[in-house]
Amino acid sequence: MTDEQLDKLFLDAAKRYTPPSAPEGAWERFLEKQKEAQLQMGSEDLEVAEQANKRKNIYWITAVRRGQLRIAGILIFCLGCLGLWYVLKENRSDLKQTKKIVIKSPPDLFERPSGNAHWPKDSMGAISRNKEDKNKGKAYFDQHIILYASRPIQGSIMASGLKDMEIEKAGLSIKVHFEDLWKKQVGLRPDGLNVRKDSIYNRLSKAEFLAAKGPTLEGKSKDLKRFQNYRNMANIEKKVEKKQHGKWQLGFLVGPNLTTINGSVGKTAGFNTGLVVQRRIKDSKFSLGSGFVLESMVYKMSPDEFHPGGKNLDIPSLTSVSGKCQMLDIPLNVRYDVVRSKKNNAFVSTGISGLLMTKETYSYNYNKQGQAYQRRVDVSGRGKSLYTVTNLSIGYERKFNRTSIQVEPYIKLPMSTIGYGNLNLGSLGTQISIKHNF
Amino acid sequence: MENNLAIILSGCKQGIPAWQKVLYEQYYGFAYTICIRYAPTKEDTTEIINDGFVNVFKGLSNFNFPENENELSPAFMGWLKRIMIHIGINHEKSHARQIAWRKPDLETEKIPSVHLNPLESLAYEELVKLIHKLSPAYRHVFSLFVLDGCSHEEIARITKTSIGTSKSNLLKARRQLRKMIEVIHAEEISKYDR
């Protein structure tokens, strides 16, 4: 007898065999056995129950932590808004005081002769004749650098033919008409020296003068040196100003999302939270943006839209499939500021995102002979977890000094399928972000 | 049975005794077919079946329901079979001294060696008795390989031996069974010679 024949003998006998049904009393004996087993394994069950409780607690802790993350995100956003309001309030109160402050005057550059109304011929400042004006002037000089157009410099401006200029300084737009200014100075003497009779407030500020283009410097070397010192200080100021309003932005974003499957939009909203970073390209209207965004998505679909393992489900009792997933989104976007002003920007943006699916769960909803039941499965890691989407968005950004708030409705279009169910998963929503300039 | 299985299992998962009884009675026969190979007596068989069902009801929450309901019955039967096999082997191991090295079963000896049925139609229970005459190692390998359809890798994992040992034990088990069956055949023929 060969091995095959021997095996066939036993297999055929097993196939022909009709096992006995459960004898009378078998179930009752089983129940007794079950109770004995429960008593014997009482301590093990306790341990298992404790572990189950621990798992439940971990689940609830995780759920609470997930909830805490969202609450933390919303709280940070609200704190950011409060901070903005505070900064804005301070800036408003400061604005009036600093409206005309340009630079503090270095004391050694001004001559303040005491006694008579006299100022040195080539001085860069002027002192009042009378005592009251002198005090006002001193106070004013403490706050401003006033470049009183001395003869050589004034002469240069007039020679250059420059009649007026527009300067943006300290948030103000100033248009200066030189001729008017010269005319306002009473008694333009032939030698070019201006005799100040009226208030000193009509004089050009140093910064305004330094910002003017055209005039070449003439005059004595002493004045030239002072002028150059002023210019150096102004340049330092410019650098400081540039540094204060740099090209980098770092921010925090939150926002709701709605998932789309094969173009149809879901009804349950998910939640996005994350960090964004943006850099302006030189001084253009273009910027590059990236970041890390954690997206939680909720969706529901019919069984024919769900293809686990690439197969179609042929289950008559399956009525729908509900899904939840978490994804890490790393976008790379190019933004163009259609409207760009000091305080407001309106922009359009496009780019791509790489998405990594970190968690995926489904609930299968059945209806069999009128009885509905549900089964939940965690399929994290079982399907394709990496894919790309195309990002399209428009937005509005409101600036408050170095901080800004941005609202950006967006849409993400899938470029492939993803997940256990091989879904065309996209999304649309709004991102609200608070960003800070560096 | 297939149509109700999903509902029965849902009820058992919730711990409802009525549904557990239905499942027990419905699959008792199937479990008996498996457990009889690992238990020398009917009492032992019943004990293994009951131990097996205790584990089934306890571990039902870990059973992965297939998405297609038509695959539920085969999946559940395969899962139940694995539990019964493990319980059967562990039962034998826990009674190893009594089973492996005990004296030949007197009940078995009393059965007349002359069978009225031809060799090809030997009853399953009679063949199982032949299997029980093997040593435990040979018995497990033969049952798992021939009757339960396990591969040598699976057998090695279940019995915690090597693949080579599994193959060697199967060879020896077949040899011994062949001899036993030849003896039976010879006795059958000699009956007519007399």
Side-chain angles (χ1 to χ4, degrees):
Chain A
M1 184 183 278
T2 63
D3 289 344
E4 289 75 25
Q5 284 171 336
L6 181 70
D7 294 350
K8 190 172 180 302
L9 180 69
F10 281 85
L11 281 168
D12 288 346
K15 279 178 194 169
R16 285 194 306 268
Y17 179 62
T18 307
S21 49
E24 257 186 60
W27 173 247
E28 286 71 22
R29 283 196 292 279
F30 168 76
L31 284 177
E32 284 171 15
K33 177 81 185 179
Q34 201 177 33
K35 279 179 194 168
E36 274 174 29
Q38 280 170 357
L39 283 169
Q40 277 173 10
M41 289 184 285
S43 60
E44 285 179 22
D45 280 346
L46 264 174
E47 206 181 298
V48 165
E50 275 172 11
Q51 281 178 4
N53 273 337
K54 203 178 173 185
R55 259 181 262 126
K56 271 188 199 170
N57 289 338
I58 288 169
Y59 170 78
W60 283 113
I61 288 167
T62 313
V64 165
R65 279 189 188 150
R66 264 186 263 128
Q68 280 176 346
L69 270 174
R70 290 184 188 180
I71 292 169
I74 293 168
L75 272 175
I76 289 170
F77 181 76
C78 294
L79 280 172
C81 289
L82 270 172
L84 258 177
W85 173 78
Y86 179 75
V87 163
L88 190 63
K89 187 181 155 194
E90 290 294 316
N91 281 348
R92 249 192 241 125
S93 57
D94 286 346
L95 270 173
K96 284 181 187 170
Q97 295 169 17
T98 60
K99 195 173 182 180
K100 294 209 175 173
I101 292 175
V102 179
I103 309 169
K104 288 219 168 158
S105 63
D108 58 328
L109 293 172
F110 280 94
E111 296 169 13
R112 294 189 175 85
S114 56
N116 312 344
H118 165 74
W119 76 78
K121 189 177 178 183
D122 296 316
S123 77
M124 303 298 277
I127 311 299
S128 170
R129 282 182 183 270
N130 61 51
K131 192 178 180 181
E132 191 186 334
D133 277 349
K134 183 180 176 180
N135 290 336
K136 273 190 203 169
K138 186 176 181 305
Y140 194 70
F141 280 139
D142 284 342
Q143 289 183 351
H144 299 73
I145 299 274
I146 307 251
L147 177 63
Y148 191 80
S150 67
R151 176 190 170 185
I153 296 168
Q154 186 183 349
S156 299
I157 292 176
M158 291 172 79
S160 70
L162 189 68
K163 299 228 172 124
D164 58 27
M165 63 179 174
E166 195 165 276
I167 312 160
E168 274 193 349
K169 203 73 180 174
L172 300 173
S173 183
I174 304 165
K175 191 150 187 181
V176 179
H177 298 281
F178 285 121
E179 285 187 2
D180 290 342
L181 192 65
W182 307 147
K183 282 175 188 171
K184 277 182 185 173
Q185 308 305 319
V186 176
L188 185 66
R189 288 168 29 174
D191 62 357
L193 279 175
N194 295 299
V195 177
R196 181 202 50 77
K197 279 190 182 176
D198 63 344
S199 166
I200 58 174
Y201 295 106
N202 285 329
R203 293 175 194 158
L204 225 86
S205 73
K206 175 204 80 119
E208 289 162 0
F209 188 84
L210 288 175
K213 294 174 189 175
T216 56
L217 293 179
E218 289 178 12
K220 289 193 176 177
S221 59
K222 198 178 175 184
D223 288 337
L224 189 61
K225 193 178 173 184
R226 283 181 182 172
F227 190 83
Q228 280 174 343
N229 285 340
Y230 285 139
R231 191 174 282 281
N232 289 341
M233 282 173 62
N235 286 341
I236 290 167
E237 262 195 21
K238 276 186 192 169
K239 280 180 192 170
V240 167
E241 210 176 292
K242 259 190 193 170
K243 202 178 171 184
Q244 282 173 355
H245 298 282
K247 294 174 183 170
W248 286 96
Q249 279 185 314
L250 182 65
F252 178 80
L253 73 85
V254 295
N257 69 62
L258 287 173
T259 307
T260 64
I261 296 177
N262 294 331
S264 54
V265 182
K267 291 174 187 171
T268 311
F271 187 74
N272 295 352
T273 181
L275 295 171
V276 288
V277 62
Q278 192 173 295
R279 193 191 192 278
R280 185 169 299 284
I281 299 171
K282 291 188 180 175
D283 285 321
S284 68
K285 289 188 175 183
F286 285 95
S287 304
L288 279 175
S290 186
F292 293 94
V293 182
L294 193 63
E295 297 181 5
S296 67
M297 299 166 89
V298 181
Y299 42 93
K300 193 170 181 178
M301 61 208 138
S302 59
D304 55 2
E305 289 175 307
F306 188 65
H307 307 285
K311 297 173 192 170
N312 293 327
L313 288 180
D314 184 20
I315 307 169
S317 57
L318 185 66
T319 55
S320 63
V321 181
S322 308
K324 274 187 193 177
C325 69
Q326 269 186 2
M327 294 213 258
L328 180 64
D329 181 355
I330 301 176
L332 183 63
N333 294 324
V334 174
R335 167 177 147 165
Y336 177 73
D337 292 339
V338 178
V339 172
R340 183 177 155 194
S341 69
K342 278 197 123 180
K343 286 192 179 175
N344 304 294
N345 283 348
F347 61 89
V348 293
S349 172
T350 185
I352 57 169
S353 280
L355 282 103
L356 174 68
M357 189 173 269
T358 56
K359 190 173 169 63
E360 191 180 6
T361 57
Y362 289 101
S363 295
Y364 299 108
N365 305 305
Y366 299 90
N367 192 322
K368 181 85 176 179
Q369 296 167 353
Q371 189 176 357
Y373 55 100
Q374 194 185 66
R375 182 167 71 91
R376 285 187 189 176
V377 288
D378 185 337
V379 294
S380 305
R382 283 172 65 178
K384 187 179 158 198
S385 54
L386 202 62
Y387 80 138
T388 50
V389 295
T390 303
N391 301 324
L392 296 168
S393 65
I394 57 172
Y396 168 74
E397 184 180 7
R398 177 77 162 92
K399 293 187 216 172
F400 303 93
N401 204 9
R402 288 169 66 183
T403 310
S404 61
I405 287 185
Q406 181 175 294
V407 176
E408 185 181 359
Y410 68 88
I411 182 167
K412 290 182 189 283
L413 303 170
M415 291 163 74
S416 61
T417 58
I418 190 172
Y420 177 70
N422 288 297
L423 304 170
N424 272 313
L425 214 59
S427 68
L428 52 93
T430 301
Q431 288 179 344
I432 302 166
S433 44
I434 297 174
K435 298 189 287 185
H436 189 78
N437 256 62
F438 291 93
Chain B
M1 178 167 110
E2 285 201 14
N3 290 335
N4 291 337
L5 185 59
I7 298 169
I8 294 170
L9 291 176
S10 297
C12 292
K13 254 186 162 178
Q14 294 166 38
I16 301 169
W19 287 117
Q20 287 179 339
K21 186 180 178 188
V22 168
L23 188 73
Y24 179 86
E25 288 172 353
Q26 231 170 35
Y27 285 91
Y28 182 91
F30 176 70
Y32 187 92
T33 312
I34 299 162
C35 296
I36 194 175
R37 298 198 283 268
Y38 303 97
T41 63
K42 282 193 176 175
E43 287 73 27
D44 286 336
T45 307
T46 309
E47 194 179 333
I48 294 172
I49 291 172
N50 288 342
D51 284 342
F53 271 102
V54 166
N55 281 279
V56 163
F57 294 134
K58 213 196 274 185
L60 205 53
S61 53
N62 297 329
F63 173 62
N64 290 323
F65 284 68
E67 281 143 6
N68 192 347
E69 266 199 17
N70 294 334
E71 293 170 12
L72 179 60
S73 180
F76 176 73
M77 286 171 77
W79 184 68
L80 177 67
K81 186 179 185 180
R82 281 195 297 276
I83 291 177
M84 293 298 168
I85 288 171
H86 276 282
I87 297 291
I89 290 176
N90 289 339
H91 182 87
E92 278 203 288
K93 281 180 182 173
S94 67
H95 295 84
R97 286 186 185 175
Q98 295 171 20
I99 292 168
W101 307 114
R102 71 180 181 185
K103 293 171 188 174
D105 188 358
L106 296 174
E107 291 295 322
T108 314
E109 290 295 317
K110 283 179 186 170
I111 293 169
S113 57
V114 177
H115 296 272
L116 298 174
N117 295 329
L119 196 62
E120 290 75 17
S121 59
L122 275 172
Y124 177 69
E125 286 190 357
E126 289 161 352
L127 289 170
V128 166
K129 281 172 186 165
L130 295 181
I131 293 173
H132 278 298
K133 288 183 178 177
L134 299 171
S135 68
Y138 299 169
R139 186 188 319 146
H140 295 159
V141 170
F142 186 81
S143 299
L144 288 168
F145 188 86
V146 174
L147 295 169
D148 295 321
C150 296
S151 64
H152 284 295
E153 288 81 12
E154 286 169 332
I155 294 168
R157 200 173 53 242
I158 293 167
T159 57
K160 293 175 188 173
T161 55
S162 65
I163 296 172
T165 306
S166 169
K167 288 179 179 174
S168 163
N169 286 345
L170 178 65
L171 191 71
K172 290 170 188 172
R174 279 176 170 154
R175 197 185 298 157
Q176 287 191 13
L177 283 169
R178 216 177 276 126
K179 274 185 187 168
M180 286 185 225
I181 290 170
E182 280 169 4
V183 165
I184 292 170
H185 191 214
E187 284 176 357
E188 179 75 19
I189 291 170
S190 67
K191 173 195 148 191
Y192 291 101
D193 282 345
R194 288 183 196 147

